Amino acid sequence: MSTDSGLGPATRFLVAVAAFIVVVAGMRAAASLITPFLLAVFIAVIATPPLRELRDRGLPNWASMLLVVLAIVGVGSVLAILVAGSLDGFEASLPEYQGRLKLLIDDLAGWLDGIGFHTSREALQTYIDPARVLEVAGDLVSGLSGVLANAFLILLTVIFILLEAAGLPAKLRAALTSPETSTKQMHVVLDSINRYMGIKSLTSLGTGLVIWAWLTILGVDYAVLWALIAFLLNFVPTIGSILAAIPAVLLALVQIDLQTALLVALGYLVVNTLVGSILEPKIMGYGLGLSTLVVFVSLVFWGWVLGPVGMFLSVPLTMSLKIALDTNPQTRPIAIMLGPEIRAPHRHGTIGLPD
């Protein structure tokens, strides 16, 4: 039987685009259901290496699972307490901060008048609205707190994913015609994703802790909240560090003075340069990167489809897709196009061109 559908390349392309649009529209309509599931997958991927390590050390499967689940519950409880407490206090103080920002804009307008650049205060407040940045920061954490409302559903999904993962290799060997090749390819993809997510989680945690300590030393309000945002947005390379710094710098400017705001900005710059430009590339390798354009597009796309949590998951989702594409010779060119600028020769599976 012929497998040719009789459709030309242009028609097939239009059908593929139409199918993509339908899928995206369905995902956006079902975002309230898809978002907790994707978050559960994200947590399960991070929890898989510790679970495997406990099993390798001789612990029974039930004991390993119990320890991992208790760790997840503990971390989730601490996160929920921090989010709820910081967000309530920040939202209560937001009108005061907005009033101070308005006074600063008035001072800026007076200074501009003094140097001969005349502009109305209303126009300046229209074009410069830093208060909106503080509101966006609150919206981001509010979206996370909304997901935490489904914590029990997410936890159950994580448990079932971890239980299913243990028996997945046996199912693949029974279901596939060439299980050795498929299983090996799946292990390569999963190991690469586990490695990426594990390293990224540790570096993001380190970034959040350093930012919290620095802001606490400088006396900036709600240091825990800004550290949490820094932790989440560190999963978004390049753009995430900028987005995380803006509300903290503005708050330091409003709450204290310009010098403190500059010190806050310097702290973010140093931490993100050390982590994002030196530490992570050295540990992960060059081939586990994304181009800045892909990062920005994925941030906008997943944020639009899934909301604030989609922004947090945008790069892990795109990074997982890139790793999966890179394992297949037929789709490797797409993975190269998604990656960063090619500078280094090809070594040990990383993407590059010879000198």
Side-chain angles (χ1 to χ4, degrees):
M1 180 182 293
S2 176
T3 57
D4 187 5
S5 61
L7 300 177
T11 304
R12 289 198 297 269
F13 174 77
L14 291 176
V15 171
V17 171
F20 175 77
I21 293 174
V22 171
V23 170
V24 170
M27 292 177 62
R28 193 163 190 263
S32 60
L33 179 63
I34 295 176
T35 300
F37 176 76
L38 289 177
L39 196 58
V41 173
F42 171 80
I43 296 172
V45 168
I46 296 176
T48 298
L51 180 63
R52 187 186 305 162
E53 180 68 20
L54 291 173
R55 288 171 177 167
D56 293 340
R57 290 181 179 273
L59 261 68
N61 185 46
W62 67 268
S64 303
M65 181 69 70
L66 180 61
L67 289 176
V68 170
V69 170
L70 289 177
I72 294 173
V73 172
V75 172
S77 300
V78 172
L79 184 62
I81 293 172
L82 292 178
V83 169
S86 299
L87 189 59
D88 289 343
F90 176 70
E91 289 181 343
S93 303
L94 189 58
E96 178 185 353
Y97 293 142
Q98 290 175 336
R100 293 182 185 178
L101 281 171
K102 184 178 180 181
L103 293 177
L104 287 176
I105 293 176
D106 290 340
D107 292 341
L108 176 61
W111 179 77
L112 291 175
D113 290 339
I115 63 175
F117 189 83
H118 301 288
T119 182
S120 66
R121 284 164 172 75
E122 291 76 12
L124 199 59
Q125 291 179 3
T126 300
Y127 292 108
I128 304 177
D129 188 14
R132 181 56 188 159
V133 178
L134 298 178
E135 293 178 354
V136 170
D139 292 342
L140 178 64
V141 184
S142 295
L144 180 61
S145 62
V147 173
L148 291 177
N150 297 318
F152 184 69
L153 174 62
I154 294 174
L155 180 63
L156 282 180
T157 307
V158 170
I159 293 174
F160 285 126
I161 291 175
L162 293 176
L163 290 174
E164 189 70 17
L168 185 59
K171 289 184 178 181
L172 289 176
R173 284 191 293 268
L176 300 176
T177 55
S178 55
E180 293 80 8
T181 303
S182 301
T183 303
K184 182 179 179 181
Q185 187 176 17
M186 184 193 70
H187 277 304
V188 170
V189 174
L190 292 180
D191 289 344
S192 298
I193 294 175
N194 281 336
R195 177 170 171 265
Y196 170 80
M197 296 303 298
I199 295 174
K200 196 68 178 177
S201 299
L202 290 176
T203 56
S204 298
L205 179 61
T207 299
L209 291 175
V210 173
I211 292 298
W212 168 78
W214 182 240
L215 295 181
T216 301
I217 292 172
L218 294 177
V220 179
D221 288 343
Y222 307 108
V224 172
L225 178 62
W226 310 127
L228 177 61
I229 292 178
F231 165 77
L232 296 177
L233 291 183
N234 191 64
F235 285 90
V236 182
T238 309
I239 302 172
S241 59
I242 298 174
L243 295 177
I246 291 175
V249 171
L250 283 175
L251 183 60
L253 177 63
V254 172
Q255 178 198 343
I256 308 176
D257 53 25
L258 178 60
Q259 181 180 355
T260 304
L262 293 176
L263 288 175
V264 170
L266 178 63
Y268 273 91
L269 178 62
V270 171
V271 171
N272 288 287
T273 299
L274 290 176
V275 173
S277 301
I278 299 177
L279 183 61
E280 285 183 355
K282 184 177 181 180
I283 297 176
M284 292 184 181
Y286 181 75
L288 287 180
L290 292 172
S291 73
T292 305
L293 176 62
V294 171
V295 170
F296 178 75
V297 171
S298 66
L299 180 70
V300 174
F301 173 77
W302 289 111
W304 176 74
V305 173
L306 301 177
V309 179
M311 298 173 64
F312 163 60
L313 294 174
S314 61
V315 172
L317 289 172
T318 308
M319 193 70 245
S320 301
L321 175 62
K322 177 179 177 291
I323 291 172
L325 293 173
D326 191 46
T327 60
N328 191 322
Q330 295 181 344
T331 57
R332 187 166 294 131
I334 303 177
I336 295 175
M337 296 302 296
L338 293 176
E341 180 183 356
I342 296 177
R343 301 174 185 171
H346 180 84
R347 293 188 183 95
H348 305 296
T350 57
I351 298 172
L353 291 178
D355 294 330

